Amino acid sequence: MSQSFAVTNRLFLSISIPMTLAYISTPLLGLVDTAVIGQIDNAALLGGLAVGSVIFDIVFVTFNFLRSGTTGLAAQAFGAGNSTEIKAVLFRAVLLGLACGIVLFAIHPPILSVGLNLLGGSEEVQAAASAYFTVRILAAPLSLANYAILGWFLGLGKAKTGLFIQTFLNGVNIVLSVWFVLGLDWGITGVAAATGISELLTLLLGAALAYRHMTGDAYPNWRQVLDKDKLIAMMTLNRDIMIRSFTLLFAFAFFTARSADQGDTILAANAVLEKFLLIAGYFLDGNAVAAEQIAGRAVGARYRPAFRRAVRLSLLWGFGLGGFGTLVFLGTGTYIVDFMTVNDQVRQVARDYMLWASLGPVVGTLAYQMDGVFIGATWSKDMRNMMLISLAVFLASYYALFPQLGNHGLWLAMLIFLSARGLSLLYMCRLREEQQFCPKPAE
């Protein structure tokens, strides 16, 4: 039996706006870490921070499924009005996060070795990167458990709580980084230690908030938490999201590699312009989270009107933001590029390809929003398959366009990739919606 609920602009924005603010705070942390290490007159430390952060970010992007997958499952349990399953989802996700973190810590030496070999750098840079990574990986179980807790709150539509948790995490991290590096002179290990301690404090905060939210209700027993079918469903969902994330990483790595083939100047220019896509992603991710929560809740409630309304509002606000982002980049892109690099040659080359990067926000909007819908509905298999198909379209477009258009062809292939992701998911969304809400009767 379906459970109706109203999907309004106010509901959608009550999730979208706080999470947009939360995601925007994340790049600030990276800037502060770089700035405090930059106060030490040692270029190798800056290089080590960059290399160590890249290795860590690649590893943790792989485990982002703990956030998004938990959001979808919690939203569906919330929509179904199943309070016991709501709590069970949190316990399962936290246990899975802790287990993955422990395994990650156990195998981190070969991960670090491979990462250093791939990224290179001088002996001093690699030593600094190793020191940073070795300290920061100690907090891996805590970080992944925090992913699960954040995802759980977002699944329940508690975006303000999510904003508070993320702001606390990044704020404490910034304060400790400044204190440990500039005050206590701990160097690059101080930045890593600050991250680890902030993850611990955030886990304690998140656990306290979750406990307060659940006080007075019956808790699931361990048999319910460790239900075999539910665990398999969660791991299957997470597996598909992980494959999707790997595929996306491969696409951007391919873009970077093909940029490098064209020389250092084009590589640098493309790297600067890629930041346009990164910035757009932070603005559109808040909208995607709102789509995750409301679409997942609608699936759990078996209420089709709410699902349709969630998709429409996601696209409406998404294209509004994406179009605004494109207009901003078209109008101010030159100033952004000049701020990001002082090299005149790189600046000029970046201007030649700026139109393509500026179109990225509006072209990529459909993909971002459909990702949110599919994660909330837990249609992970389709999301994985459409990503693989889109990658094939991207590679085919590159090999068809690059010989004639050069770097313009590479950028056009990237926009085709973004379009293919969005359009393929939109097509599948219509099919899955019909199957989800109007299932055929058993014969």
Side-chain angles (χ1 to χ4, degrees), residues 86-96 152 214 219-220 222 225:
I86 288 173
K87 301 178 189 65
V89 167
L90 174 62
F91 296 146
R92 285 189 209 109
V94 170
L95 287 174
L96 182 59
W152 185 75
M214 293 187 293
Y219 283 79
W222 282 109
V225 172

Side-chain angles (χ1 to χ4, degrees), residues 10-66:
R10 183 175 182 177
L11 173 63
F12 190 89
L13 294 177
S14 70
I15 301 171
S16 174
I17 292 175
M19 290 317 300
T20 298
L21 296 174
Y23 286 133
I24 290 174
S25 70
T26 300
L28 177 62
L29 173 60
L31 291 175
V32 171
D33 284 348
T34 300
V36 295
I37 291 298
Q39 301 306 304
I40 304 173
D41 189 17
N42 188 333
L45 291 182
L46 271 177
L49 176 63
V51 170
S53 297
V54 167
I55 298 173
F56 206 91
D57 289 346
I58 289 174
V59 170
F60 267 61
V61 163
T62 304
F63 290 93
N64 192 49
F65 60 74
L66 283 165

Side-chain angles (χ1 to χ4, degrees), residues 323-334:
F324 175 74
T326 288
L327 291 176
V328 168
F329 287 143
L330 287 173
T332 65
T334 298

Side-chain angles (χ1 to χ4, degrees), residues 96-442:
L96 182 59
L98 291 172
C100 288
I102 292 170
V103 171
L104 190 58
F105 173 75
I107 65 172
H108 83 269
I111 293 175
L112 176 61
S113 178
V114 171
L116 292 177
N117 287 332
L118 289 175
L119 295 174
S122 66
E123 290 186 7
E124 293 82 2
V125 166
Q126 293 213 348
S130 180
Y132 171 82
F133 187 88
T134 301
V135 173
R136 188 173 172 186
I137 199 66
L138 290 169
L142 309 177
S143 301
L144 297 184
N146 282 328
Y147 278 17
I149 293 174
L150 175 62
W152 185 75
F153 276 114
L154 297 182
L156 301 184
K158 305 293 183 181
K160 290 182 180 179
T161 303
L163 171 61
F164 177 63
I165 290 173
Q166 285 299 100
T167 303
F168 178 83
L169 171 65
N170 293 330
V172 171
N173 201 339
I174 287 171
V175 171
L176 292 180
S177 289
V178 173
W179 180 30
F180 289 167
V181 176
L182 301 184
L184 301 181
D185 196 26
W186 286 4
I188 197 167
T189 57
V191 173
T195 300
I197 294 173
S198 63
E199 293 285 2
L200 173 60
L201 295 177
T202 302
L203 179 59
L204 296 175
L205 171 67
L209 292 173
Y211 176 76
R212 188 178 70 174
H213 183 78
M214 293 187 293
T215 297
D217 293 330
Y219 283 79
N221 56 46
W222 282 109
R223 179 175 295 179
Q224 292 171 308
V225 172
L226 301 178
D227 180 272
K228 180 180 178 181
D229 292 337
K230 296 292 179 62
L231 283 172
I232 291 175
M234 176 174 279
M235 289 188 285
T236 300
L237 170 65
N238 291 337
R239 177 203 65 195
D240 292 338
I241 296 175
M242 182 173 65
I243 293 172
R244 170 254 184 199
S245 298
F246 267 129
T247 306
L248 185 60
L249 280 174
F250 176 84
F252 278 93
F254 181 87
F255 181 90
T256 300
R258 299 293 76 79
S259 299
D261 290 344
Q262 300 176 72
D264 291 349
T265 301
I266 286 185
L267 172 61
N270 282 357
V272 169
L273 293 175
E274 264 192 292
K275 299 299 186 292
F276 287 22
L277 302 182
L278 180 65
I279 294 170
Y282 283 118
F283 277 100
L284 291 170
D285 270 349
N287 251 28
V289 169
E292 289 176 30
Q293 198 279 332
I294 300 174
R297 181 180 174 187
V299 168
R302 300 181 182 179
Y303 189 51
R304 190 173 190 175
F307 180 85
R308 287 188 162 182
R309 179 72 170 160
V311 173
R312 284 197 294 268
L313 287 181
S314 174
L315 296 180
L316 174 66
W317 287 104
F319 275 110
L321 282 174
F324 175 74
T326 288
L327 291 176
V328 168
F329 287 143
L330 287 173
T332 65
T334 298
Y335 303 105
I336 295 173
V337 168
D338 289 351
F339 173 77
M340 295 178 69
T341 178
V342 297
N343 186 290
D344 289 333
Q345 191 174 6
V346 173
R347 286 176 172 179
Q348 185 54 53
V349 171
R351 291 185 178 93
D352 293 339
Y353 304 103
M354 191 178 299
L355 174 62
W356 301 115
S358 298
L359 291 173
V362 70
V363 171
T365 293
L366 185 58
Y368 280 105
Q369 304 316 306
M370 284 293 103
D371 270 355
V373 171
F374 273 69
I375 287 172
T378 61
W379 298 334
S380 59
K381 182 178 179 180
D382 293 317
M383 188 170 64
R384 177 201 69 196
N385 291 344
M386 294 308 103
M387 178 66 82
L388 292 170
I389 291 172
S390 299
L391 177 64
V393 171
F394 172 48
L395 297 176
S397 300
Y398 166 77
Y399 287 111
L401 295 170
F402 184 79
Q404 285 75 36
L405 301 176
N407 197 49
H408 287 289
L410 176 59
W411 271 104
L412 181 54
M414 173 56 71
L415 294 186
I416 291 173
F417 170 63
L418 295 175
S419 300
R421 285 177 57 204
L423 291 172
S424 61
L425 287 173
L426 180 62
Y427 172 76
M428 291 304 302
C429 183
R430 293 173 176 173
L431 296 180
R432 292 293 173 252
E433 178 189 339
E434 195 67 27
Q435 295 172 357
Q436 184 77 44
F437 296 99
C438 299
K440 294 181 179 180

